[in-house]
Amino acid sequence: MRMARLWLCSLALAAGLAGLMQPVAGAGAGAPVLTLAVAGPIGPATALRLQRALQRAREQQAALLVLQLDTPGGLDVAMRDIIKSMLASPVPVAVFVAPQGARAASAGTFILYAAHVAAMAPATNLGAATPVAIGLPGGAPDKPPAAASAPDAMTAKRLNDAVAYIRGLAQLRGRNADWAERAVREAASLDARAALAQGVIEVMAADLPELLRRIDGRELQLGERRVRLATAQAPVQVLEPDWRDQLLATLSDPGVALALMTLGLYGLLFEFASPGFVLPGVVGGVSLLLGLYGLQMLPINHAGLALLLLGLGFMVAELFVPSFGVLGLGGLAAFAFGAAMLIDSGTPGLAIPWTLIALLCLSSAAFIFGVVGLALRARRRPQVGGAAALLGVRGELIEHDGDTGWARVNGTPWRVRGVAGLRPGQPVQVTGVDGLTLRVRAAEPGNDREEVR
């Protein structure tokens, strides 16, 4: 029995050693490497584009997806969507901060830490991941607690949440968690060489081919399994943005969304004021819906949106209410403040440019005050209809019977009174209107109003 137990223990030990010595699974021969370039702010369109790229990489059983990144930062929601997709991906993801001169600031630092492989090109940098304050475009970022005299509760909550998030990513990937915390709390930054030396990244490469050579054979933990990269000779496929990506990127631009919404409201207003043109209504409806779709993809400040709509409402009311510019000026002020406050983010590239706000305000002002000027000129013109328009007009007596008779005024026969002693064909002048009867007298030479035929 002792020999049997010894034999079973030896067999179990041999099986265990064989399992430890079993080669790590690698990508199939000829598996492609997919590359996706992301430049500019991180937004909802970026997250959707990366999710489609990951799906395509999974369908093609790619060896690796390389995200070439150059960003000043972006929206927190979009960043977290990207990171969750990367963490759940069955295909390894390498984030490569490139080309030279690129950066992975703010949200880009979080994305770099979440990657299975973190790489940078020379003369690139990362960091400055402190959450920024929400408010008007150009607002200053929140101060780190060490520099702030009394940070409010919301600032502390936002900061601590970001610290915990990036430390968790660093521990998952085995990277420098202490520097990650400094990047959030103190807005610290590193260049590529310092990042490599401090264990923030694993590879520094000048370009994509060098990166694929350097990471060839590297073992990565992918969920419950380990994979070995085979990238040195792998075919490379570049994922170019299609029309959907370009459309989403355009519509999610805050300036484009605001311009489309403004154009849409003016188009519908013109159609309602002059029914039958059709084209302004069609263009206005489509523009308004596209603008609203773009805005719903962005972090909207509801107070800014309310001011924006109030301003547009005042400017529209100016066209129908005789306020002589008061509603128009108030509407322009509300529109400008609302547009400045509309986007609830301090991320560079995700604010509405002041030049666009000024252009929209100036064009609206030109339109409104053009209409007000026309109304004032029309008010100063003499009345051409109604009873008041007949006063002082000259006509010609047709016939009379005593004090009453008929006269042609403005080409129309009118019953007249006050023609006693006048003869047919004699010029008369209107002095008053009694219902459908005109009071006239004999016309005298002078600056009297002439008959209009």
Side-chain angles (χ1 to χ4, degrees):
M1 293 296 295
R2 180 182 297 178
M3 292 297 295
R5 287 196 296 267
L6 182 61
W7 181 80
L8 289 175
C9 290
S10 300
L11 184 63
L13 180 60
L17 290 174
L20 291 175
M21 296 175 64
Q22 184 178 2
V24 179
V33 171
L34 275 58
T35 66
L36 176 69
V38 172
I42 302 296
T46 312
L48 292 174
R49 189 179 170 202
L50 178 66
Q51 289 165 3
R52 285 198 294 269
L54 288 171
Q55 180 180 359
R56 184 170 171 181
R58 183 168 57 250
E59 293 171 351
Q60 297 186 10
Q61 297 183 349
L64 181 69
L65 173 65
V66 179
L67 177 62
Q68 183 173 310
L69 189 62
D70 179 12
T71 179
L75 301 178
D76 180 77
V77 174
M79 175 197 74
R80 290 175 184 263
D81 287 342
I82 290 173
I83 291 175
K84 285 188 289 187
S85 300
M86 291 168 57
L87 297 181
S89 172
V91 177
V93 180
V95 173
F96 183 32
V97 184
Q100 297 186 28
R103 58 177 170 167
S106 192
T109 302
F110 285 80
I111 295 173
L112 185 71
Y113 261 84
H116 299 92
V117 178
M120 298 176 68
T124 58
N125 66 282
L126 81 160
T130 305
V132 296
I134 294 173
L136 291 176
D142 290 341
K143 295 180 180 179
S149 56
D152 56 61
M154 290 304 297
T155 299
K157 287 172 62 176
R158 185 167 58 247
L159 197 64
N160 291 331
D161 176 70
V163 167
Y165 192 48
I166 200 167
R167 286 193 70 94
L169 294 174
Q171 293 165 6
L172 177 66
R173 300 303 186 202
R175 300 192 179 108
N176 191 331
D178 293 334
W179 184 87
E181 181 171 349
R182 287 185 54 219
V184 174
R185 292 194 181 277
E186 304 172 18
S189 297
L190 284 178
D191 60 26
R193 293 189 181 278
L196 182 64
Q198 296 188 30
V200 175
I201 62 173
E202 292 83 44
V203 182
M204 187 171 70
D207 51 24
L208 181 62
E210 182 180 351
L211 171 66
L212 297 182
R213 288 195 303 271
R214 287 182 177 274
I215 64 176
D216 184 56
R218 183 181 295 268
E219 294 182 4
L220 302 176
Q221 187 71 37
L222 228 66
E224 299 297 328
R225 63 191 179 95
R226 291 183 66 82
V227 298
R228 178 181 291 118
L229 297 178
T231 56
Q233 304 298 325
V236 177
Q237 295 183 15
V238 179
L239 300 180
E240 299 290 349
D242 57 14
W243 67 269
R244 291 177 301 177
D245 298 323
Q246 295 174 352
L247 179 62
L248 287 175
T250 302
L251 292 180
S252 60
D253 182 272
V256 173
L258 176 62
L260 284 173
M261 191 174 70
T262 306
L263 176 64
L265 288 174
Y266 280 133
L268 292 178
L269 171 65
F270 188 86
E271 182 65 29
F272 292 151
S274 304
F277 280 91
V278 180
L279 181 61
V282 172
V283 174
V286 172
S287 300
L288 181 61
L289 290 176
L290 289 176
L292 292 175
Y293 175 77
L295 288 179
Q296 66 90 24
M297 298 176 65
L298 298 167
I300 300 300
N301 184 311
H302 294 92
L305 182 61
L307 278 172
L308 187 70
L309 296 177
L310 181 66
L312 289 171
F314 281 168
M315 288 188 284
V316 169
E318 179 63 48
L319 306 178
F320 301 99
V321 179
S323 68
F324 301 102
V326 175
L327 283 175
L329 288 174
L332 283 173
F335 179 87
F337 284 115
M341 299 167 54
L342 184 61
I343 303 302
D344 205 355
S345 172
T347 304
L350 285 176
I352 299 176
W354 286 103
T355 52
L356 177 62
I357 297 175
L359 179 62
L360 291 175
C361 289
L362 289 176
S363 59
S364 298
F367 177 71
I368 290 171
F369 289 108
V371 172
V372 171
L374 291 175
L376 291 175
R377 285 197 295 271
R379 187 180 182 89
R380 289 194 294 266
R381 290 177 58 187
Q383 190 171 350
V384 295
L390 294 172
L391 295 177
V393 175
R394 299 179 64 173
E396 180 182 340
L397 184 62
I398 301 174
E399 61 181 27
H400 71 92
D401 182 11
D403 193 49
T404 62
W406 292 86
R408 182 176 289 104
V409 179
N410 282 348
T412 303
W414 285 84
R415 188 171 184 82
V416 296
R417 186 172 66 245
V419 293
L422 303 181
R423 62 183 184 279
Q426 185 174 350
V428 294
Q429 188 172 24
V430 179
T431 59
V433 181
D434 295 327
L436 297 178
T437 302
L438 304 181
R439 297 194 303 272
V440 299
R441 59 179 175 82
E444 299 178 358
N447 296 327
D448 302 321
R449 296 172 61 185
E450 296 291 337
E451 176 183 0
V452 178
R453 294 187 180 275

